[in-house]
Amino acid sequence: MPIAPSPSRNRSSRLSVRASPAELERWNNAAHALGHATTAAWVRSLLHDAEVSQRSGGDVSSEIRGLRGELSRIGNNLNQLAHAAHLGEAVACADTLHHIDRLKDRTDSLLKTLRPTRTRRVKLTSHSVPVHLVH
């Protein structure tokens, strides 16, 4: 069910980007694969995300990769602490808990910069699949 445009969504200005036919086809395919009705809607969402997060391309993905690496290291620390505790050794968890809190805060901060997504089921030929729609 399409969402009725609000008065604030009336668009009278135009932004142009030149693309090769191959680029345009890739962008169209990517937009549709990501659940956007049009490539313009996808570009709008990308520009909005960059504006809100005050980040330009690639920053969010590199930040997420960094968080993933830290989570892996913290997981290793937790495994070592659990192993030591099972052996009856004294275990000091303060540093690991501090790292977990810091990582949680960084993750929360990053998530606040991202736009919320809504999952909607789209009927295909033989089954339904979840599609993330960005508003």
Side-chain angles (χ1 to χ4, degrees):
M1 168 192 290
I3 296 172
S6 67
S8 64
R9 297 195 106 185
N10 291 333
R11 295 182 174 97
S12 60
S13 297
R14 176 178 213 110
L15 172 67
S16 299
V17 176
R18 292 192 182 273
S20 70
E23 286 175 319
L24 185 58
E25 183 178 356
R26 281 195 326 268
W27 294 345
N28 287 336
N29 291 338
H32 291 265
L34 292 169
H36 297 278
T38 64
T39 304
W42 181 45
V43 170
R44 251 186 240 105
S45 74
L46 292 172
L47 291 172
H48 177 76
D49 289 348
E51 176 187 24
V52 169
S53 68
Q54 297 182 358
R55 298 173 188 259
S56 59
D59 291 344
V60 172
S61 62
S62 65
E63 181 75 10
I64 290 172
R65 278 193 295 278
L67 290 172
R68 186 183 182 284
E70 282 194 53
L71 277 172
S72 178
R73 288 187 291 281
I74 288 171
N76 288 337
N77 290 348
L78 288 173
N79 284 337
Q80 291 170 2
L81 291 170
H83 181 72
H86 286 293
L87 294 176
E89 299 174 10
V91 177
C93 301
D95 285 343
T96 299
L97 293 174
H98 172 73
H99 289 301
I100 290 171
D101 282 340
R102 189 175 52 79
L103 185 60
K104 184 185 80 57
D105 291 343
R106 280 183 51 209
T107 303
D108 287 345
S109 175
L110 178 64
L111 289 173
K112 285 178 185 174
T113 68
L114 302 176
R115 293 183 62 192
T117 60
R118 180 175 68 129
T119 301
R120 179 173 142 193
R121 290 208 155 313
V122 176
K123 185 70 173 171
L124 296 179
T125 54
S126 62
H127 62 285
S128 294
V129 297
V131 175
H132 295 283
L133 301 177
V134 180
H135 296 284

